[in-house]
Amino acid sequence: MRTTTLLLLSIITLHITSCKKKESLLETYDRGTLLNNIANNVISPSYLKFKNEADSLVKISEGFDSTTTLQNLSLMRNQWKEALAAWMNCEVYDIEVAYALNTQIAAFPVSIQSIETEIQGTHNIDINYVAATGTTRKGFGAIEYLLYGSSKTEQQIIDEFSQNPRRKIYLLSLAKHVASVANQLENEWKNGNPSHSHFISQTQMDISGSLNMVINVFVAHIEEVRRSKIGKPCGIEATSVADYSKLENPFAPHSIENIKSNIASWKMLFTGAFGIGIDDYSDAVNATYNNEKLSTVILRQMALCEMKANAISGGSLENAAINQPAQVKELHLELKKLTVLTKVDLSSSLGVVITFSDNDGD
Amino acid sequence: MATNKRKSAFFEALNTVVSVAPIAFFRIAFGTMMALSIIRFWANGWIEQLYIKPSFFFTYYGFEWVKPFSANGMYVVFALLFLSAVFIALGFVYRISSVVFFFLFTYVELIDKSTYLNHYYFISIVALLFCFIPAHKAFSLDAKLGVTQSANSFPRWMLLSIQLQMAMVYFFAGIAKINHDWLMEALPLRIWLPAKNDMPIVGALLNETWLAYLMSWCGMIFDVTISFFLFWRRTVYYAYAVVVVFHVLTAILFPGIGMFPFIMIVCATVFLPSDFHSRAISFLSKTFGIETKAQETAQSLVLSSPFVATVFVLHFCVQLLLPFRYILYPEKLFWHEEGYRFSWRVMLMEKAGMATFHVKDNNNQVVEIRNSDYLTPQQEKQMSTQPDMILQFAKHLAWVHRQQGWQNPEVYVESYVSLNGKGSRQFIRNDINLAAQNDGFAHKAWILPYDVTKEKLIEQR
């Protein structure tokens, strides 16, 4: 009798304590709901925005093609920034149809010489030609080079375009190519289309499961931003000399804005656009760090990265890389901490796997 | 005198004759499982992925000379492995097949410790025992073709040695589970089970914490006690049924553990009474239309070679001691993993890490390493949580940079590891030039102690 009472009591206590914990949006570890929210409210809208901005870029390019004026150049530059920012919000989703597509439109650094060679050549330039050409001569970086040049005045840029119609055709084709990629991505991620349906159907937590994949690309992207966009060009990763030309968008210059957009996209993904996100799943499995919710620590770390990115002097990574290396190092360090929190803590708390082969469970 | 008598009674007991059927059945089952495993391994592209693609291999200490062959060579090795496994099953040129299988399998396992699995180790050991057990004396092509004289009974010790080896796997896996995290916190099962909650029917249950506790405790009790029930004639059938249920469950829940559950289910038949094997074999003979005339000329085999006896005694002494070698190392075993391998510690912890290497030289030249330039994802994952592999990789990086003309390159690592989801901590001292450290069996003093590294990466704010 006594044992039964004890057992009942302990079950009740257990029940109460377990109920208390569930204050997150996810009642259970329901990956289906989570994936649906990420697909519908995070990924699809990001691609839709990117598609719209890329389509606008084409329209404005067409205007610039017919009326090559300083005013239109300024419109072009602004729209390039808008489209680029929209892409930076999508860059992390290196999954499904997007897999490896980012190198098609956002490889860096681009090759100035190759771009000039293309323009000086005689072959017919159109979107198909651009689609087939090498990654260092197309995409956002190539458009940037054409629009900003390497230390040229705006008038010089306009003159270059006016004197050489091939330059304008190349620019227009580059914009069209970016837009075609954007349209392809947006379409694939429409509700019911292949990438979208495949993504929400893979609810299992193995190497091919969507949550597993999305966390792996999330971690990889954080690491890649730190290394390729900051560490390498700013002389933190190799040697101690900054190499301005290895930055993502050195001509505009615009590199820090990309990083800010990237960080914003991580926040969107992690919080599920402030709906049901990875943070809720992490809370549901009771992931903690230093007696705090791991999700809270990660969000705080993202905010810190954001702060350090905003603090880069004059809003220019190009300038800071040379003149304020300490500021850049701080950003680099906070991003590294974010990598540890996601790659080590988040992955292991959620049971994420990174390879397909037999294991002993370590 | 009395001790001598007892001693001889002991050896007599070991040499009592038992039916040959269990060993023969085991040989057929083991050979078949191995052949299937190798087909699976090949079909999954793992020969390429694990032994051809990598540019660097984590060899075992003392076995640095073990190197993979060229791509074609590795395929030949696996083809030979497959053939010898089939031959073992058939009992064809068994004496040679068993030795070939043992050496090739062990060779492959020694190439890279990032592929270490306890069940591969188990297979190597069984293959080694097979080299000394004439398991081809019955129900084999060798016996049928007259290559060897057939036998219908065996000395008990041959059967016993295989049973004992099986028992040790379970028992040591069981006592390894007697630790705070496993029993009192249901870790890592509490992390792993919810990840499988999309399974049909039972899926929702896997979210429950109590289930993780129940499974942790049952798993421990199963592993520790099952061998005793398998050895006991009165319970063996029930125990075997439990073995099947247990392994089928683990196979469903953790598909990542691959062939292990199936190999254990098949191998555990070695505990069943011999009439099971006789019936199984005669069923097989009938199905494949093979007559088993071996019985008429059969002999009884008795252990005679003192050499073989010594080998077996030594082997089991080593087997008994090896899992306890961790006692010789200070601090937390799961953290530093010194004395962790070769001890039947299976599915015990969830460990993840990140290791960032910097190579420096006298001229202030410094470079941060991209691990993926040198390692496969599997190698990188294993390396980042195991100090001996971190050291090996650091030394490799020093070597590579020396080749590139760097003067006295120094290698430093910044590493963080999380054990059972308890928060990442710094793992290795970041002020130690790893290129100047020596590998060996001594404790690696540059591993930060688990409890001291509590001050974590990010302080509470």
Side-chain angles (χ1 to χ4, degrees), chain B residues 106-132:
Chain B
T106 308
Y107 157 73
V108 169
E109 290 324 306
L110 286 177
I111 292 174
D112 191 340
K113 66 167 80 139
S114 70
T115 65
Y116 173 80
L117 290 186
N118 282 294
H119 78 264
Y120 290 158
Y121 173 47
F122 173 71
I123 289 164
S124 265
I125 292 176
V126 171
L128 176 66
L129 296 178
F130 265 12
C131 296
F132 294 93

Coordinates of all heavy atoms in Angstrom, one line a residue, chain B residues 106-132:
Chain B
T106 N 42.0 -7.7 -39.8 CA 42.7 -6.9 -38.8 C 43.5 -5.8 -39.5 O 43.6 -4.7 -39.0 CB 43.6 -7.8 -38.0 OG1 42.8 -8.9 -37.5 CG2 44.2 -7.1 -36.8
Y107 N 44.1 -6.2 -40.6 CA 44.9 -5.2 -41.3 C 44.0 -3.9 -41.7 O 44.4 -2.8 -41.4 CB 45.4 -5.8 -42.6 CG 45.7 -4.8 -43.7 CD1 46.8 -3.9 -43.6 CD2 44.9 -4.7 -44.8 CE1 47.1 -3.0 -44.6 CE2 45.2 -3.7 -45.8 CZ 46.3 -2.9 -45.7 OH 46.5 -2.0 -46.6
V108 N 42.8 -4.2 -42.2 CA 41.9 -3.1 -42.6 C 41.5 -2.3 -41.4 O 41.5 -1.1 -41.4 CB 40.6 -3.7 -43.3 CG1 39.6 -2.6 -43.4 CG2 41.0 -4.3 -44.6
E109 N 41.3 -3.0 -40.3 CA 40.9 -2.2 -39.1 C 42.1 -1.4 -38.5 O 41.8 -0.3 -37.9 CB 40.4 -3.2 -38.0 CG 39.1 -3.8 -38.2 CD 38.1 -2.9 -39.0 OE1 37.9 -1.8 -38.4 OE2 37.7 -3.2 -40.0
L110 N 43.3 -1.8 -38.8 CA 44.4 -1.1 -38.2 C 44.8 0.2 -39.1 O 45.6 1.0 -38.7 CB 45.6 -2.0 -38.2 CG 45.6 -3.0 -37.0 CD1 46.9 -3.9 -37.1 CD2 45.6 -2.3 -35.7
I111 N 44.2 0.3 -40.3 CA 44.6 1.4 -41.2 C 44.2 2.7 -40.5 O 45.0 3.7 -40.5 CB 43.9 1.2 -42.5 CG1 44.5 0.0 -43.3 CG2 44.1 2.5 -43.4 CD1 43.8 -0.3 -44.6
D112 N 43.0 2.8 -40.0 CA 42.5 4.1 -39.5 C 41.7 4.0 -38.3 O 40.6 3.4 -38.3 CB 41.8 4.8 -40.6 CG 41.5 6.3 -40.3 OD1 41.5 6.7 -39.1 OD2 41.2 7.0 -41.3
K113 N 42.1 4.5 -37.2 CA 41.4 4.4 -35.9 C 40.1 5.2 -35.9 O 39.2 5.0 -35.0 CB 42.2 4.6 -34.7 CG 42.7 6.1 -34.5 CD 43.3 6.3 -33.2 CE 44.7 5.8 -33.0 NZ 45.6 6.8 -32.2
S114 N 39.9 6.1 -36.9 CA 38.6 6.8 -36.9 C 37.5 5.9 -37.3 O 36.3 6.3 -37.2 CB 38.7 8.1 -37.8 OG 38.8 7.7 -39.2
T115 N 37.8 4.7 -37.8 CA 36.8 3.8 -38.2 C 36.6 2.7 -37.1 O 35.8 1.8 -37.2 CB 37.1 3.0 -39.5 OG1 38.2 2.2 -39.3 CG2 37.3 4.0 -40.6
Y116 N 37.2 2.9 -35.9 CA 37.2 1.9 -34.9 C 35.7 1.7 -34.4 O 35.0 2.6 -34.1 CB 38.0 2.3 -33.6 CG 37.8 1.4 -32.5 CD1 38.4 0.2 -32.4 CD2 36.8 1.7 -31.5 CE1 38.2 -0.7 -31.4 CE2 36.6 0.8 -30.4 CZ 37.3 -0.4 -30.4 OH 37.1 -1.3 -29.3
L117 N 35.3 0.4 -34.4 CA 34.0 0.0 -33.9 C 34.3 -1.2 -33.0 O 35.1 -2.1 -33.4 CB 33.1 -0.4 -35.0 CG 32.5 0.7 -35.9 CD1 31.5 0.1 -36.8 CD2 31.9 1.8 -35.1
N118 N 33.6 -1.3 -31.9 CA 33.8 -2.5 -31.0 C 33.4 -3.8 -31.8 O 34.0 -4.8 -31.5 CB 32.9 -2.3 -29.8 CG 33.6 -1.4 -28.8 OD1 34.6 -1.7 -28.3 ND2 33.0 -0.2 -28.6
H119 N 32.4 -3.7 -32.6 CA 32.1 -5.0 -33.2 C 33.1 -5.5 -34.3 O 33.2 -6.6 -34.6 CB 30.6 -5.1 -33.7 CG 30.3 -4.4 -35.0 ND1 29.8 -3.1 -35.0 CD2 30.3 -4.8 -36.2 CE1 29.6 -2.8 -36.3 NE2 29.9 -3.8 -37.0
Y120 N 33.8 -4.5 -34.9 CA 34.9 -4.9 -35.7 C 36.0 -5.6 -34.9 O 36.6 -6.6 -35.3 CB 35.5 -3.7 -36.4 CG 34.6 -3.1 -37.5 CD1 34.9 -1.8 -37.9 CD2 33.6 -3.8 -38.1 CE1 34.1 -1.2 -38.9 CE2 32.8 -3.2 -39.1 CZ 33.1 -1.9 -39.4 OH 32.3 -1.3 -40.4
Y121 N 36.2 -5.1 -33.7 CA 37.2 -5.6 -32.8 C 36.8 -7.1 -32.5 O 37.6 -8.0 -32.5 CB 37.4 -4.7 -31.6 CG 38.2 -5.2 -30.5 CD1 39.5 -5.8 -30.7 CD2 37.8 -5.2 -29.2 CE1 40.3 -6.2 -29.7 CE2 38.6 -5.6 -28.1 CZ 39.8 -6.2 -28.4 OH 40.6 -6.6 -27.3
F122 N 35.5 -7.2 -32.2 CA 35.0 -8.5 -31.8 C 35.2 -9.5 -33.0 O 35.6 -10.7 -32.8 CB 33.5 -8.4 -31.5 CG 32.8 -9.7 -31.3 CD1 33.0 -10.5 -30.2 CD2 31.8 -10.2 -32.2 CE1 32.4 -11.7 -30.0 CE2 31.2 -11.4 -32.0 CZ 31.5 -12.1 -30.9
I123 N 34.9 -9.0 -34.2 CA 35.1 -9.9 -35.4 C 36.6 -10.3 -35.5 O 36.9 -11.5 -35.7 CB 34.6 -9.2 -36.6 CG1 33.1 -9.1 -36.6 CG2 35.1 -9.9 -37.9 CD1 32.6 -8.1 -37.6
S124 N 37.5 -9.4 -35.3 CA 38.9 -9.7 -35.4 C 39.3 -10.8 -34.4 O 40.0 -11.8 -34.7 CB 39.8 -8.5 -35.0 OG 40.1 -7.9 -36.2
I125 N 38.7 -10.7 -33.1 CA 39.0 -11.7 -32.1 C 38.5 -13.1 -32.5 O 39.1 -14.1 -32.3 CB 38.5 -11.2 -30.7 CG1 39.3 -10.0 -30.3 CG2 38.6 -12.4 -29.7 CD1 38.8 -9.5 -29.0
V126 N 37.2 -13.1 -32.9 CA 36.6 -14.4 -33.3 C 37.4 -15.0 -34.4 O 37.7 -16.2 -34.4 CB 35.1 -14.2 -33.6 CG1 34.6 -15.5 -34.2 CG2 34.3 -13.8 -32.4
A127 N 37.8 -14.2 -35.3 CA 38.6 -14.7 -36.5 C 39.9 -15.3 -36.0 O 40.4 -16.3 -36.5 CB 38.8 -13.6 -37.5
L128 N 40.5 -14.6 -35.0 CA 41.7 -15.1 -34.4 C 41.5 -16.5 -33.7 O 42.3 -17.4 -33.9 CB 42.3 -14.1 -33.4 CG 43.5 -14.6 -32.6 CD1 44.7 -14.7 -33.6 CD2 43.9 -13.6 -31.5
L129 N 40.4 -16.6 -33.0 CA 40.1 -17.9 -32.3 C 39.9 -19.0 -33.3 O 40.4 -20.1 -33.2 CB 38.9 -17.7 -31.4 CG 39.0 -16.8 -30.2 CD1 37.6 -16.7 -29.5 CD2 40.0 -17.2 -29.3
F130 N 39.3 -18.6 -34.5 CA 39.1 -19.6 -35.5 C 40.4 -20.2 -36.1 O 40.4 -21.3 -36.6 CB 38.3 -18.9 -36.6 CG 36.8 -19.2 -36.5 CD1 36.2 -19.7 -35.4 CD2 35.9 -18.9 -37.6 CE1 34.9 -19.9 -35.2 CE2 34.6 -19.1 -37.5 CZ 34.0 -19.6 -36.3
C131 N 41.4 -19.3 -36.1 CA 42.7 -19.8 -36.6 C 43.2 -21.0 -35.8 O 44.0 -21.8 -36.2 CB 43.7 -18.7 -36.6 SG 43.4 -17.3 -37.6
F132 N 42.7 -21.1 -34.5 CA 43.2 -22.2 -33.7 C 42.1 -23.3 -33.4 O 42.4 -24.3 -32.8 CB 43.6 -21.6 -32.3 CG 44.8 -20.7 -32.4 CD1 44.6 -19.4 -32.5 CD2 46.1 -21.2 -32.4 CE1 45.7 -18.5 -32.6 CE2 47.2 -20.4 -32.5 CZ 47.0 -19.0 -32.6

